[in-house]
Amino acid sequence: MSNPLEFRYRLVYESLAKLTTHLNHSETLDEVQHCLQRHLKYLFDYQLVRFGYYQDGQYIIYSGFKAESRLETGSTKLFWEHERMLQKQEIPVVLDNLSNLDVRAETYPIPLKEICDKIWGWHFPFGKTSGMVVSVFSGENKLFSQADIPVLKIISESLYSRIFTICLIQELDQRKQDLLIALEDVQEKNRIVSDLVHKQEEIIQQRTHELQRKNEKLLELSKLNAHSVREPLSRILGLIQVAELIYSNEIQPEWLAMLQVSSQDLDSALQNVIQLTDREILK
């Protein structure tokens, strides 16, 4: 039959296995919070435990009590005074004096200064600008001990790894969304340019057709008008030739009338040519 210590170790081992398994399956920070709230109480005793994750200026703080928990994201201002000290010095501490505890502790649902007599603190760095700062508030019937430190370290490492992965996935998703937005913007601009090019091509094609039509019309008019102009001109030339063959006193008055009519016909024909040409050009 196993003794109480062996039973305690087996219980801690099983609880730690469940926590790390559920933690590794957590896909959001809310799921991480729920996992810690559910499993931490079986691993070690505490009045309050705070895990402070930081990575390149991003800070995520988990604060857990027995009955509830909080998850905050923001800047280094989320760290309490002793946590900023731990982050700078990187030396584990056990604080017996809670008189200078951060005033934000008063917003918590338990009177930490009254029921806690120690703060256990660690800083686990995982890079030049990343790590985990952990605080365990111990007191009354919830006493933390040195025997709990190895378990706490495993939890801290697993928690850091999971939060880092979630944040990285979120960052990649955000970059993907930004790229998709940028791609949609480029596609929209390409569509606008394509539409402009298409419209310009239509305008050029339309203008080309208009010019071809006008040229064909002008060619047709020139052929028709050549005959209209040629007829009265031929009559005039014929009358001139007859006049050259006879004496001027023998020129009959009706010839002059014919010459005048032919000249007027020639003038009318030329006026028609000009008007028709102008009309076709202005269309």
Side-chain angles (χ1 to χ4, degrees), residues 44-51 64 82-83 86 93-95 98 116-122 133-139 142-145 148-149 152 156:
F44 55 86
D45 287 328
Y46 58 88
Q47 293 290 353
L48 167 67
V49 59
R50 283 171 56 88
F51 291 94
H82 74 280
E83 292 169 336
L86 284 169
V93 297
V94 179
L95 302 176
L98 277 68
C116 298
D117 54 18
K118 287 183 180 180
I119 302 177
W120 299 68
W122 297 267
V133 175
V134 184
S135 301
V136 179
F137 291 72
S138 174
K142 304 295 182 182
L143 300 177
F144 186 85
S145 67
D148 298 320
I149 296 177
L152 182 67
S156 300

PDB file of all heavy atoms in Angstrom, residues 44-51 64 82-83 86 93-95 98 116-122 133-139 142-145 148-149 152 156:
ATOM      1  N   PHE A  44      -0.003  22.564  -6.645  1.00  0.00           N
ATOM      2  CA  PHE A  44       0.630  23.167  -5.464  1.00  0.00           C
ATOM      3  C   PHE A  44      -0.356  24.136  -4.830  1.00  0.00           C
ATOM      4  O   PHE A  44      -1.344  24.541  -5.452  1.00  0.00           O
ATOM      5  CB  PHE A  44       1.951  23.866  -5.815  1.00  0.00           C
ATOM      6  CG  PHE A  44       1.830  24.895  -6.886  1.00  0.00           C
ATOM      7  CD1 PHE A  44       1.464  26.205  -6.593  1.00  0.00           C
ATOM      8  CD2 PHE A  44       2.105  24.580  -8.214  1.00  0.00           C
ATOM      9  CE1 PHE A  44       1.350  27.166  -7.574  1.00  0.00           C
ATOM     10  CE2 PHE A  44       1.999  25.535  -9.211  1.00  0.00           C
ATOM     11  CZ  PHE A  44       1.614  26.830  -8.892  1.00  0.00           C
ATOM     12  N   ASP A  45      -0.089  24.479  -3.573  1.00  0.00           N
ATOM     13  CA  ASP A  45      -0.973  25.376  -2.846  1.00  0.00           C
ATOM     14  C   ASP A  45      -0.549  26.832  -3.038  1.00  0.00           C
ATOM     15  O   ASP A  45       0.644  27.139  -3.082  1.00  0.00           O
ATOM     16  CB  ASP A  45      -0.965  25.036  -1.348  1.00  0.00           C
ATOM     17  CG  ASP A  45      -1.720  23.753  -1.055  1.00  0.00           C
ATOM     18  OD1 ASP A  45      -2.686  23.466  -1.778  1.00  0.00           O
ATOM     19  OD2 ASP A  45      -1.323  23.027  -0.124  1.00  0.00           O
ATOM     20  N   TYR A  46      -1.529  27.717  -3.071  1.00  0.00           N
ATOM     21  CA  TYR A  46      -1.257  29.142  -3.228  1.00  0.00           C
ATOM     22  C   TYR A  46      -2.514  29.926  -2.897  1.00  0.00           C
ATOM     23  O   TYR A  46      -3.636  29.409  -3.013  1.00  0.00           O
ATOM     24  CB  TYR A  46      -0.807  29.459  -4.661  1.00  0.00           C
ATOM     25  CG  TYR A  46      -1.815  29.055  -5.718  1.00  0.00           C
ATOM     26  CD1 TYR A  46      -2.829  29.913  -6.120  1.00  0.00           C
ATOM     27  CD2 TYR A  46      -1.752  27.787  -6.310  1.00  0.00           C
ATOM     28  CE1 TYR A  46      -3.758  29.537  -7.078  1.00  0.00           C
ATOM     29  CE2 TYR A  46      -2.677  27.411  -7.260  1.00  0.00           C
ATOM     30  CZ  TYR A  46      -3.680  28.281  -7.652  1.00  0.00           C
ATOM     31  OH  TYR A  46      -4.607  27.898  -8.595  1.00  0.00           O
ATOM     32  N   GLN A  47      -2.308  31.162  -2.483  1.00  0.00           N
ATOM     33  CA  GLN A  47      -3.420  32.105  -2.358  1.00  0.00           C
ATOM     34  C   GLN A  47      -3.635  32.834  -3.684  1.00  0.00           C
ATOM     35  O   GLN A  47      -4.759  33.079  -4.096  1.00  0.00           O
ATOM     36  CB  GLN A  47      -3.137  33.110  -1.225  1.00  0.00           C
ATOM     37  CG  GLN A  47      -3.100  32.515   0.164  1.00  0.00           C
ATOM     38  CD  GLN A  47      -4.478  32.065   0.639  1.00  0.00           C
ATOM     39  OE1 GLN A  47      -5.491  32.304  -0.007  1.00  0.00           O
ATOM     40  NE2 GLN A  47      -4.497  31.379   1.786  1.00  0.00           N
ATOM     41  N   LEU A  48      -2.503  33.159  -4.302  1.00  0.00           N
ATOM     42  CA  LEU A  48      -2.518  33.819  -5.613  1.00  0.00           C
ATOM     43  C   LEU A  48      -1.265  33.414  -6.362  1.00  0.00           C
ATOM     44  O   LEU A  48      -0.175  33.376  -5.776  1.00  0.00           O
ATOM     45  CB  LEU A  48      -2.552  35.350  -5.463  1.00  0.00           C
ATOM     46  CG  LEU A  48      -2.267  36.171  -6.733  1.00  0.00           C
ATOM     47  CD1 LEU A  48      -3.376  36.002  -7.759  1.00  0.00           C
ATOM     48  CD2 LEU A  48      -2.090  37.649  -6.387  1.00  0.00           C
ATOM     49  N   VAL A  49      -1.400  33.116  -7.649  1.00  0.00           N
ATOM     50  CA  VAL A  49      -0.236  32.835  -8.491  1.00  0.00           C
ATOM     51  C   VAL A  49      -0.344  33.709  -9.738  1.00  0.00           C
ATOM     52  O   VAL A  49      -1.430  33.862 -10.315  1.00  0.00           O
ATOM     53  CB  VAL A  49      -0.152  31.342  -8.872  1.00  0.00           C
ATOM     54  CG1 VAL A  49      -1.401  30.884  -9.625  1.00  0.00           C
ATOM     55  CG2 VAL A  49       1.103  31.067  -9.707  1.00  0.00           C
ATOM     56  N   ARG A  50       0.791  34.313 -10.089  1.00  0.00           N
ATOM     57  CA  ARG A  50       0.840  35.187 -11.267  1.00  0.00           C
ATOM     58  C   ARG A  50       1.951  34.721 -12.200  1.00  0.00           C
ATOM     59  O   ARG A  50       3.104  34.602 -11.781  1.00  0.00           O
ATOM     60  CB  ARG A  50       1.099  36.646 -10.855  1.00  0.00           C
ATOM     61  CG  ARG A  50      -0.124  37.347 -10.301  1.00  0.00           C
ATOM     62  CD  ARG A  50       0.233  38.707  -9.698  1.00  0.00           C
ATOM     63  NE  ARG A  50       0.902  39.597 -10.617  1.00  0.00           N
ATOM     64  CZ  ARG A  50       0.282  40.444 -11.445  1.00  0.00           C
ATOM     65  NH1 ARG A  50      -1.046  40.500 -11.449  1.00  0.00           N
ATOM     66  NH2 ARG A  50       0.963  41.238 -12.246  1.00  0.00           N
ATOM     67  N   PHE A  51       1.571  34.445 -13.445  1.00  0.00           N
ATOM     68  CA  PHE A  51       2.534  34.116 -14.490  1.00  0.00           C
ATOM     69  C   PHE A  51       2.588  35.301 -15.439  1.00  0.00           C
ATOM     70  O   PHE A  51       1.580  35.653 -16.071  1.00  0.00           O
ATOM     71  CB  PHE A  51       2.104  32.860 -15.256  1.00  0.00           C
ATOM     72  CG  PHE A  51       2.186  31.584 -14.470  1.00  0.00           C
ATOM     73  CD1 PHE A  51       1.081  31.100 -13.801  1.00  0.00           C
ATOM     74  CD2 PHE A  51       3.375  30.880 -14.380  1.00  0.00           C
ATOM     75  CE1 PHE A  51       1.138  29.922 -13.080  1.00  0.00           C
ATOM     76  CE2 PHE A  51       3.454  29.698 -13.662  1.00  0.00           C
ATOM     77  CZ  PHE A  51       2.334  29.225 -13.000  1.00  0.00           C
ATOM     78  N   GLY A  64      -4.177  33.858 -10.914  1.00  0.00           N
ATOM     79  CA  GLY A  64      -5.108  32.809 -10.556  1.00  0.00           C
ATOM     80  C   GLY A  64      -5.342  32.701  -9.063  1.00  0.00           C
ATOM     81  O   GLY A  64      -4.386  32.719  -8.270  1.00  0.00           O
ATOM     82  N   HIS A  82       7.632  44.237  -7.485  1.00  0.00           N
ATOM     83  CA  HIS A  82       8.574  43.145  -7.227  1.00  0.00           C
ATOM     84  C   HIS A  82       8.805  42.313  -8.495  1.00  0.00           C
ATOM     85  O   HIS A  82       9.880  41.713  -8.663  1.00  0.00           O
ATOM     86  CB  HIS A  82       8.057  42.241  -6.098  1.00  0.00           C
ATOM     87  CG  HIS A  82       6.932  41.347  -6.482  1.00  0.00           C
ATOM     88  ND1 HIS A  82       5.621  41.775  -6.558  1.00  0.00           N
ATOM     89  CD2 HIS A  82       6.917  40.030  -6.839  1.00  0.00           C
ATOM     90  CE1 HIS A  82       4.853  40.762  -6.919  1.00  0.00           C
ATOM     91  NE2 HIS A  82       5.610  39.696  -7.086  1.00  0.00           N
ATOM     92  N   GLU A  83       7.835  42.289  -9.408  1.00  0.00           N
ATOM     93  CA  GLU A  83       7.998  41.549 -10.667  1.00  0.00           C
ATOM     94  C   GLU A  83       8.953  42.274 -11.609  1.00  0.00           C
ATOM     95  O   GLU A  83       9.742  41.630 -12.315  1.00  0.00           O
ATOM     96  CB  GLU A  83       6.633  41.341 -11.322  1.00  0.00           C
ATOM     97  CG  GLU A  83       5.739  40.398 -10.535  1.00  0.00           C
ATOM     98  CD  GLU A  83       4.300  40.383 -11.012  1.00  0.00           C
ATOM     99  OE1 GLU A  83       3.862  41.388 -11.619  1.00  0.00           O
ATOM    100  OE2 GLU A  83       3.608  39.386 -10.773  1.00  0.00           O
ATOM    101  N   LEU A  86      12.308  41.422 -10.301  1.00  0.00           N
ATOM    102  CA  LEU A  86      12.702  40.075 -10.705  1.00  0.00           C
ATOM    103  C   LEU A  86      13.163  40.052 -12.168  1.00  0.00           C
ATOM    104  O   LEU A  86      14.154  39.384 -12.497  1.00  0.00           O
ATOM    105  CB  LEU A  86      11.519  39.113 -10.533  1.00  0.00           C
ATOM    106  CG  LEU A  86      11.186  38.664  -9.116  1.00  0.00           C
ATOM    107  CD1 LEU A  86       9.836  37.937  -9.096  1.00  0.00           C
ATOM    108  CD2 LEU A  86      12.275  37.745  -8.573  1.00  0.00           C
ATOM    109  N   VAL A  93      13.576  35.122  -5.457  1.00  0.00           N
ATOM    110  CA  VAL A  93      13.463  35.783  -4.156  1.00  0.00           C
ATOM    111  C   VAL A  93      12.299  35.192  -3.371  1.00  0.00           C
ATOM    112  O   VAL A  93      11.377  34.609  -3.935  1.00  0.00           O
ATOM    113  CB  VAL A  93      13.236  37.304  -4.304  1.00  0.00           C
ATOM    114  CG1 VAL A  93      14.400  37.974  -4.981  1.00  0.00           C
ATOM    115  CG2 VAL A  93      11.930  37.580  -5.059  1.00  0.00           C
ATOM    116  N   VAL A  94      12.389  35.350  -2.048  1.00  0.00           N
ATOM    117  CA  VAL A  94      11.282  35.055  -1.159  1.00  0.00           C
ATOM    118  C   VAL A  94      11.094  36.290  -0.297  1.00  0.00           C
ATOM    119  O   VAL A  94      11.973  36.631   0.510  1.00  0.00           O
ATOM    120  CB  VAL A  94      11.537  33.823  -0.289  1.00  0.00           C
ATOM    121  CG1 VAL A  94      10.347  33.588   0.648  1.00  0.00           C
ATOM    122  CG2 VAL A  94      11.790  32.592  -1.146  1.00  0.00           C
ATOM    123  N   LEU A  95       9.976  36.988  -0.499  1.00  0.00           N
ATOM    124  CA  LEU A  95       9.721  38.232   0.214  1.00  0.00           C
ATOM    125  C   LEU A  95       8.807  37.965   1.411  1.00  0.00           C
ATOM    126  O   LEU A  95       7.737  37.364   1.264  1.00  0.00           O
ATOM    127  CB  LEU A  95       9.061  39.255  -0.723  1.00  0.00           C
ATOM    128  CG  LEU A  95       9.849  39.617  -1.999  1.00  0.00           C
ATOM    129  CD1 LEU A  95       9.035  40.559  -2.875  1.00  0.00           C
ATOM    130  CD2 LEU A  95      11.188  40.229  -1.645  1.00  0.00           C
ATOM    131  N   LEU A  98       5.124  42.252   2.970  1.00  0.00           N
ATOM    132  CA  LEU A  98       4.138  42.597   1.950  1.00  0.00           C
ATOM    133  C   LEU A  98       3.562  43.988   2.149  1.00  0.00           C
ATOM    134  O   LEU A  98       2.567  44.359   1.514  1.00  0.00           O
ATOM    135  CB  LEU A  98       2.989  41.592   1.953  1.00  0.00           C
ATOM    136  CG  LEU A  98       3.214  40.287   1.164  1.00  0.00           C
ATOM    137  CD1 LEU A  98       4.277  39.429   1.809  1.00  0.00           C
ATOM    138  CD2 LEU A  98       1.912  39.504   1.029  1.00  0.00           C
ATOM    139  N   CYS A 116      -1.530  36.551   3.404  1.00  0.00           N
ATOM    140  CA  CYS A 116      -0.262  36.058   2.846  1.00  0.00           C
ATOM    141  C   CYS A 116       0.911  36.567   3.676  1.00  0.00           C
ATOM    142  O   CYS A 116       0.934  37.727   4.096  1.00  0.00           O
ATOM    143  CB  CYS A 116      -0.099  36.504   1.396  1.00  0.00           C
ATOM    144  SG  CYS A 116      -1.359  35.862   0.288  1.00  0.00           S
ATOM    145  N   ASP A 117       1.882  35.683   3.887  1.00  0.00           N
ATOM    146  CA  ASP A 117       3.073  36.089   4.622  1.00  0.00           C
ATOM    147  C   ASP A 117       4.352  35.984   3.791  1.00  0.00           C
ATOM    148  O   ASP A 117       5.414  36.414   4.226  1.00  0.00           O
ATOM    149  CB  ASP A 117       3.224  35.252   5.899  1.00  0.00           C
ATOM    150  CG  ASP A 117       3.200  33.752   5.613  1.00  0.00           C
ATOM    151  OD1 ASP A 117       3.410  33.364   4.445  1.00  0.00           O
ATOM    152  OD2 ASP A 117       2.950  32.981   6.549  1.00  0.00           O
ATOM    153  N   LYS A 118       4.223  35.412   2.558  1.00  0.00           N
ATOM    154  CA  LYS A 118       5.406  35.282   1.706  1.00  0.00           C
ATOM    155  C   LYS A 118       5.018  35.417   0.238  1.00  0.00           C
ATOM    156  O   LYS A 118       3.917  35.061  -0.162  1.00  0.00           O
ATOM    157  CB  LYS A 118       6.091  33.929   1.911  1.00  0.00           C
ATOM    158  CG  LYS A 118       6.840  33.783   3.219  1.00  0.00           C
ATOM    159  CD  LYS A 118       7.547  32.447   3.282  1.00  0.00           C
ATOM    160  CE  LYS A 118       8.293  32.290   4.592  1.00  0.00           C
ATOM    161  NZ  LYS A 118       8.992  30.992   4.681  1.00  0.00           N
ATOM    162  N   ILE A 119       5.975  35.956  -0.516  1.00  0.00           N
ATOM    163  CA  ILE A 119       5.872  35.964  -1.977  1.00  0.00           C
ATOM    164  C   ILE A 119       7.099  35.248  -2.523  1.00  0.00           C
ATOM    165  O   ILE A 119       8.237  35.677  -2.285  1.00  0.00           O
ATOM    166  CB  ILE A 119       5.818  37.393  -2.560  1.00  0.00           C
ATOM    167  CG1 ILE A 119       4.648  38.178  -1.988  1.00  0.00           C
ATOM    168  CG2 ILE A 119       5.709  37.329  -4.081  1.00  0.00           C
ATOM    169  CD1 ILE A 119       4.599  39.620  -2.467  1.00  0.00           C
ATOM    170  N   TRP A 120       6.862  34.156  -3.218  1.00  0.00           N
ATOM    171  CA  TRP A 120       7.941  33.443  -3.892  1.00  0.00           C
ATOM    172  C   TRP A 120       8.009  33.969  -5.333  1.00  0.00           C
ATOM    173  O   TRP A 120       6.986  34.051  -6.018  1.00  0.00           O
ATOM    174  CB  TRP A 120       7.664  31.943  -3.921  1.00  0.00           C
ATOM    175  CG  TRP A 120       7.560  31.292  -2.565  1.00  0.00           C
ATOM    176  CD1 TRP A 120       6.584  31.469  -1.645  1.00  0.00           C
ATOM    177  CD2 TRP A 120       8.476  30.365  -2.000  1.00  0.00           C
ATOM    178  NE1 TRP A 120       6.812  30.705  -0.533  1.00  0.00           N
ATOM    179  CE2 TRP A 120       7.983  30.002  -0.726  1.00  0.00           C
ATOM    180  CE3 TRP A 120       9.672  29.780  -2.429  1.00  0.00           C
ATOM    181  CZ2 TRP A 120       8.628  29.112   0.117  1.00  0.00           C
ATOM    182  CZ3 TRP A 120      10.318  28.883  -1.598  1.00  0.00           C
ATOM    183  CH2 TRP A 120       9.814  28.548  -0.338  1.00  0.00           C
ATOM    184  N   GLY A 121       9.206  34.332  -5.777  1.00  0.00           N
ATOM    185  CA  GLY A 121       9.343  34.918  -7.107  1.00  0.00           C
ATOM    186  C   GLY A 121      10.489  34.350  -7.904  1.00  0.00           C
ATOM    187  O   GLY A 121      11.575  34.084  -7.358  1.00  0.00           O
ATOM    188  N   TRP A 122      10.253  34.159  -9.213  1.00  0.00           N
ATOM    189  CA  TRP A 122      11.282  33.652 -10.124  1.00  0.00           C
ATOM    190  C   TRP A 122      11.202  34.397 -11.455  1.00  0.00           C
ATOM    191  O   TRP A 122      10.152  34.906 -11.837  1.00  0.00           O
ATOM    192  CB  TRP A 122      11.062  32.160 -10.432  1.00  0.00           C
ATOM    193  CG  TRP A 122      11.153  31.257  -9.262  1.00  0.00           C
ATOM    194  CD1 TRP A 122      12.239  30.573  -8.801  1.00  0.00           C
ATOM    195  CD2 TRP A 122      10.081  30.920  -8.387  1.00  0.00           C
ATOM    196  NE1 TRP A 122      11.923  29.839  -7.706  1.00  0.00           N
ATOM    197  CE2 TRP A 122      10.600  30.026  -7.408  1.00  0.00           C
ATOM    198  CE3 TRP A 122       8.734  31.288  -8.300  1.00  0.00           C
ATOM    199  CZ2 TRP A 122       9.827  29.494  -6.382  1.00  0.00           C
ATOM    200  CZ3 TRP A 122       7.965  30.772  -7.281  1.00  0.00           C
ATOM    201  CH2 TRP A 122       8.505  29.881  -6.340  1.00  0.00           C
ATOM    202  N   VAL A 133       8.004  35.662 -15.729  1.00  0.00           N
ATOM    203  CA  VAL A 133       8.163  36.067 -14.335  1.00  0.00           C
ATOM    204  C   VAL A 133       7.003  35.485 -13.545  1.00  0.00           C
ATOM    205  O   VAL A 133       5.838  35.696 -13.906  1.00  0.00           O
ATOM    206  CB  VAL A 133       8.192  37.601 -14.188  1.00  0.00           C
ATOM    207  CG1 VAL A 133       8.227  37.990 -12.714  1.00  0.00           C
ATOM    208  CG2 VAL A 133       9.398  38.172 -14.921  1.00  0.00           C
ATOM    209  N   VAL A 134       7.326  34.725 -12.473  1.00  0.00           N
ATOM    210  CA  VAL A 134       6.310  33.999 -11.723  1.00  0.00           C
ATOM    211  C   VAL A 134       6.308  34.450 -10.273  1.00  0.00           C
ATOM    212  O   VAL A 134       7.372  34.594  -9.650  1.00  0.00           O
ATOM    213  CB  VAL A 134       6.547  32.480 -11.798  1.00  0.00           C
ATOM    214  CG1 VAL A 134       5.410  31.730 -11.092  1.00  0.00           C
ATOM    215  CG2 VAL A 134       6.680  32.022 -13.244  1.00  0.00           C
ATOM    216  N   SER A 135       5.113  34.682  -9.747  1.00  0.00           N
ATOM    217  CA  SER A 135       4.955  35.046  -8.337  1.00  0.00           C
ATOM    218  C   SER A 135       3.922  34.126  -7.695  1.00  0.00           C
ATOM    219  O   SER A 135       2.833  33.938  -8.251  1.00  0.00           O
ATOM    220  CB  SER A 135       4.497  36.499  -8.184  1.00  0.00           C
ATOM    221  OG  SER A 135       5.414  37.383  -8.776  1.00  0.00           O
ATOM    222  N   VAL A 136       4.280  33.555  -6.533  1.00  0.00           N
ATOM    223  CA  VAL A 136       3.346  32.720  -5.779  1.00  0.00           C
ATOM    224  C   VAL A 136       3.156  33.349  -4.403  1.00  0.00           C
ATOM    225  O   VAL A 136       4.122  33.503  -3.651  1.00  0.00           O
ATOM    226  CB  VAL A 136       3.856  31.276  -5.643  1.00  0.00           C
ATOM    227  CG1 VAL A 136       2.858  30.445  -4.819  1.00  0.00           C
ATOM    228  CG2 VAL A 136       4.074  30.646  -7.007  1.00  0.00           C
ATOM    229  N   PHE A 137       1.922  33.718  -4.086  1.00  0.00           N
ATOM    230  CA  PHE A 137       1.595  34.295  -2.793  1.00  0.00           C
ATOM    231  C   PHE A 137       1.134  33.162  -1.873  1.00  0.00           C
ATOM    232  O   PHE A 137       0.162  32.461  -2.171  1.00  0.00           O
ATOM    233  CB  PHE A 137       0.489  35.340  -2.942  1.00  0.00           C
ATOM    234  CG  PHE A 137       0.920  36.577  -3.669  1.00  0.00           C
ATOM    235  CD1 PHE A 137       1.145  36.551  -5.050  1.00  0.00           C
ATOM    236  CD2 PHE A 137       1.115  37.765  -2.988  1.00  0.00           C
ATOM    237  CE1 PHE A 137       1.542  37.693  -5.719  1.00  0.00           C
ATOM    238  CE2 PHE A 137       1.507  38.920  -3.647  1.00  0.00           C
ATOM    239  CZ  PHE A 137       1.735  38.883  -5.021  1.00  0.00           C
ATOM    240  N   SER A 138       1.859  33.004  -0.779  1.00  0.00           N
ATOM    241  CA  SER A 138       1.632  31.882   0.129  1.00  0.00           C
ATOM    242  C   SER A 138       1.232  32.389   1.504  1.00  0.00           C
ATOM    243  O   SER A 138       1.713  33.425   1.969  1.00  0.00           O
ATOM    244  CB  SER A 138       2.906  31.034   0.222  1.00  0.00           C
ATOM    245  OG  SER A 138       2.790  30.034   1.185  1.00  0.00           O
ATOM    246  N   GLY A 139       0.347  31.644   2.166  1.00  0.00           N
ATOM    247  CA  GLY A 139      -0.041  32.043   3.511  1.00  0.00           C
ATOM    248  C   GLY A 139      -1.209  31.239   4.033  1.00  0.00           C
ATOM    249  O   GLY A 139      -1.939  30.594   3.269  1.00  0.00           O
ATOM    250  N   LYS A 142      -2.665  27.794   2.722  1.00  0.00           N
ATOM    251  CA  LYS A 142      -2.209  27.600   1.350  1.00  0.00           C
ATOM    252  C   LYS A 142      -0.728  27.922   1.288  1.00  0.00           C
ATOM    253  O   LYS A 142      -0.306  28.998   0.882  1.00  0.00           O
ATOM    254  CB  LYS A 142      -3.007  28.489   0.381  1.00  0.00           C
ATOM    255  CG  LYS A 142      -4.517  28.293   0.433  1.00  0.00           C
ATOM    256  CD  LYS A 142      -4.911  26.894  -0.022  1.00  0.00           C
ATOM    257  CE  LYS A 142      -6.417  26.717  -0.023  1.00  0.00           C
ATOM    258  NZ  LYS A 142      -6.833  25.352  -0.426  1.00  0.00           N
ATOM    259  N   LEU A 143       0.076  26.963   1.715  1.00  0.00           N
ATOM    260  CA  LEU A 143       1.512  27.189   1.856  1.00  0.00           C
ATOM    261  C   LEU A 143       2.272  26.565   0.685  1.00  0.00           C
ATOM    262  O   LEU A 143       2.128  25.369   0.399  1.00  0.00           O
ATOM    263  CB  LEU A 143       2.010  26.607   3.180  1.00  0.00           C
ATOM    264  CG  LEU A 143       1.359  27.183   4.446  1.00  0.00           C
ATOM    265  CD1 LEU A 143       1.904  26.455   5.680  1.00  0.00           C
ATOM    266  CD2 LEU A 143       1.619  28.676   4.549  1.00  0.00           C
ATOM    267  N   PHE A 144       3.075  27.401   0.066  1.00  0.00           N
ATOM    268  CA  PHE A 144       3.955  26.945  -1.008  1.00  0.00           C
ATOM    269  C   PHE A 144       5.285  26.527  -0.378  1.00  0.00           C
ATOM    270  O   PHE A 144       5.727  27.116   0.607  1.00  0.00           O
ATOM    271  CB  PHE A 144       4.182  28.067  -2.017  1.00  0.00           C
ATOM    272  CG  PHE A 144       4.959  27.655  -3.234  1.00  0.00           C
ATOM    273  CD1 PHE A 144       4.327  27.072  -4.318  1.00  0.00           C
ATOM    274  CD2 PHE A 144       6.332  27.856  -3.304  1.00  0.00           C
ATOM    275  CE1 PHE A 144       5.039  26.706  -5.448  1.00  0.00           C
ATOM    276  CE2 PHE A 144       7.052  27.486  -4.429  1.00  0.00           C
ATOM    277  CZ  PHE A 144       6.400  26.911  -5.510  1.00  0.00           C
ATOM    278  N   SER A 145       5.941  25.499  -0.931  1.00  0.00           N
ATOM    279  CA  SER A 145       7.203  25.014  -0.369  1.00  0.00           C
ATOM    280  C   SER A 145       8.230  24.803  -1.464  1.00  0.00           C
ATOM    281  O   SER A 145       7.901  24.809  -2.661  1.00  0.00           O
ATOM    282  CB  SER A 145       6.977  23.700   0.394  1.00  0.00           C
ATOM    283  OG  SER A 145       6.613  22.659  -0.510  1.00  0.00           O
ATOM    284  N   ASP A 148       7.766  22.265  -4.257  1.00  0.00           N
ATOM    285  CA  ASP A 148       6.878  22.571  -5.390  1.00  0.00           C
ATOM    286  C   ASP A 148       7.592  23.284  -6.538  1.00  0.00           C
ATOM    287  O   ASP A 148       7.010  23.443  -7.616  1.00  0.00           O
ATOM    288  CB  ASP A 148       5.730  23.463  -4.911  1.00  0.00           C
ATOM    289  CG  ASP A 148       4.865  22.791  -3.864  1.00  0.00           C
ATOM    290  OD1 ASP A 148       4.603  21.588  -4.006  1.00  0.00           O
ATOM    291  OD2 ASP A 148       4.450  23.478  -2.911  1.00  0.00           O
ATOM    292  N   ILE A 149       8.842  23.716  -6.293  1.00  0.00           N
ATOM    293  CA  ILE A 149       9.551  24.517  -7.303  1.00  0.00           C
ATOM    294  C   ILE A 149       9.771  23.766  -8.612  1.00  0.00           C
ATOM    295  O   ILE A 149       9.538  24.331  -9.700  1.00  0.00           O
ATOM    296  CB  ILE A 149      10.885  25.040  -6.727  1.00  0.00           C
ATOM    297  CG1 ILE A 149      10.608  26.002  -5.570  1.00  0.00           C
ATOM    298  CG2 ILE A 149      11.701  25.724  -7.820  1.00  0.00           C
ATOM    299  CD1 ILE A 149      11.863  26.514  -4.888  1.00  0.00           C
ATOM    300  N   LEU A 152       6.622  23.864 -10.565  1.00  0.00           N
ATOM    301  CA  LEU A 152       6.356  25.224 -11.028  1.00  0.00           C
ATOM    302  C   LEU A 152       7.219  25.572 -12.240  1.00  0.00           C
ATOM    303  O   LEU A 152       6.749  26.227 -13.180  1.00  0.00           O
ATOM    304  CB  LEU A 152       6.611  26.216  -9.893  1.00  0.00           C
ATOM    305  CG  LEU A 152       6.316  27.679 -10.219  1.00  0.00           C
ATOM    306  CD1 LEU A 152       4.824  27.889 -10.431  1.00  0.00           C
ATOM    307  CD2 LEU A 152       6.829  28.588  -9.117  1.00  0.00           C
ATOM    308  N   SER A 156       5.924  26.623 -15.908  1.00  0.00           N
ATOM    309  CA  SER A 156       6.341  27.899 -16.497  1.00  0.00           C
ATOM    310  C   SER A 156       6.890  27.700 -17.907  1.00  0.00           C
ATOM    311  O   SER A 156       6.570  28.467 -18.826  1.00  0.00           O
ATOM    312  CB  SER A 156       7.389  28.569 -15.608  1.00  0.00           C
ATOM    313  OG  SER A 156       6.869  28.829 -14.328  1.00  0.00           O
TER     314      SER A 156
END
